Amino acid sequence: QLAKSNHVFFERGEHLAIVPCYDDGVAARDGTARHRLQLLDGLFSTTGLAQRHAVDFGGLVARIVAEDWRGAVAQLSEAAGTLAAGGADFLVITSGTGNTFAQTVAAASGLPVLDPVDVASAAMAGLGCRRAGLISTRRTDEAGLFHQAAAGKGIEVMSADDAMKDAIQAVIVDDLIRGVRSAHAIEVAVEAAQAFAAQGADSLILGCTDFSLIADGVQARCPLRVIDVTRLHAAAAHRAAIAGSLASA
C-alpha cells in the first residue's frame, strides 16, 4: 500500500531502491524535476520496489551555489536517515553534485549508495570509450570522482578550461536546473564537446543530472558519443532493485 507522510513515499516490496529528489509540488512546476521523476517512476512504477523521499532541492541548490558543503551534507544525510528508517536497502542520490557527498551520506545512514560515477564508467568501458570530456558543476568536476573511476577502467577523463567551466556552471544554474531546455545550453555543451574532440576525446560525459534534459539535442549536434549519466543511473537503480543487489546494477 502507498502511504504518504511529510513528503515521504513508501511502496513496500522485497527490495527497496531509494530516490531522494524533488517533492511532487515542485515537480509539477519544474521541468527538470518532472524529467527525473519520469525516468525513475517510469522504471519503478510496476515493481513496487521504490521508496522516494522528497528533498527541498531549492534549498540544496542554494547551499551548493553558496558552497555550503556542510549544510548540503546535513540535508542529504537527514533524508537518507529517513529512508533508512523506512527499511531501505540502498540509496540513489539523483543529484550529480549531491552525489559528491555520497560517502559521508552512506556513513551517516548506514546504507550503501548506488554511485552514478561507477555506473557511467562501466558503461563507457563497455562502449570502448578511451578518452572522455566531462561537463558538470564545478563541484562535481573538481571532486575528481569521474576522473578516478574512469582511470580504473583505462579511460582518461578531461576537464574543460576555466572559461568553459564558468559557462557550463552558468547554464546549469540559470537554465537547466530550472527546467529550461534552452538553445544556449545546447550550444554551450556542443562547444565544450568540440573543444574536447580537438583534444582527442571520443565521448562526452553529461556529469550533471540536469544535462539529461538536453541530451538528445546535444547528441544531434555533437561530434562525440554522449554519455547520459542520469539515464544510465536510473536504469542501474532499476536493475539493482529487481535483483536485490547493487552488484547487479
Side-chain angles (χ1 to χ4, degrees):
Q1 296 209 344
L2 186 65
K4 177 177 180 180
S5 175
N6 297 324
H7 301 297
V8 180
F9 296 78
F10 299 94
E11 282 188 87
R12 295 297 181 183
E14 183 179 357
H15 308 293
L16 298 174
I18 312 310
V19 186
C21 57
Y22 289 99
D23 65 46
D24 288 331
V26 173
R29 301 189 303 274
D30 189 285
T32 300
R34 288 195 302 273
H35 183 69
R36 291 176 180 177
L37 295 184
Q38 285 166 0
L39 281 176
L40 290 158
D41 289 350
L43 287 169
F44 286 103
S45 61
T46 61
T47 66
L49 302 179
Q51 182 188 142
R52 171 152 53 89
H53 179 81
V55 169
D56 171 14
F57 198 75
L60 180 61
V61 169
R63 292 180 176 92
I64 289 171
V65 170
E67 298 188 359
D68 176 13
W69 308 132
R70 180 176 297 181
V73 168
Q75 183 180 357
L76 291 172
S77 296
E78 180 182 4
T82 298
L83 293 163
D89 293 320
F90 65 93
L91 297 171
V92 179
I93 300 175
T94 66
S95 161
T97 304
N99 190 70
T100 64
F101 310 114
Q103 290 188 353
T104 303
V105 173
S109 65
L111 295 175
V113 176
L114 177 60
D115 191 342
V117 175
D118 290 339
V119 170
S121 297
M124 287 192 294
L127 291 168
C129 300
R130 288 294 174 263
R131 201 171 195 196
L134 172 65
I135 57 174
S136 67
T137 61
R138 275 191 173 271
R139 166 73 190 186
T140 298
D141 181 271
E142 293 171 0
L145 300 180
F146 277 101
H147 304 72
Q148 295 163 20
K153 301 287 186 181
I155 303 167
E156 178 187 357
V157 171
M158 297 181 291
S159 297
D161 62 30
D162 283 341
M164 180 55 70
K165 283 183 183 179
D166 287 342
I168 292 167
Q169 181 87 3
V171 298
I172 290 171
V173 174
D174 296 339
D175 292 350
L176 298 177
I177 218 164
R178 304 174 189 279
V180 178
R181 295 175 170 88
S182 69
H184 175 60
I186 294 175
E187 188 65 37
V188 168
V190 171
E191 183 179 344
Q194 291 169 339
F196 287 133
Q199 299 174 62
D202 56 25
S203 48
L204 178 71
I205 303 169
L206 304 185
C208 174
T209 311
D210 305 283
F211 271 119
S212 187
L213 280 170
I214 58 170
D216 292 342
V218 173
Q219 184 64 89
R221 297 178 51 195
C222 182
L224 306 176
R225 181 193 296 272
V226 170
I227 307 299
D228 186 345
V229 177
T230 300
R231 290 183 180 275
L232 291 170
H233 196 205
H238 181 256
R239 291 193 298 272
I242 293 296
S245 170
L246 289 185
S248 301

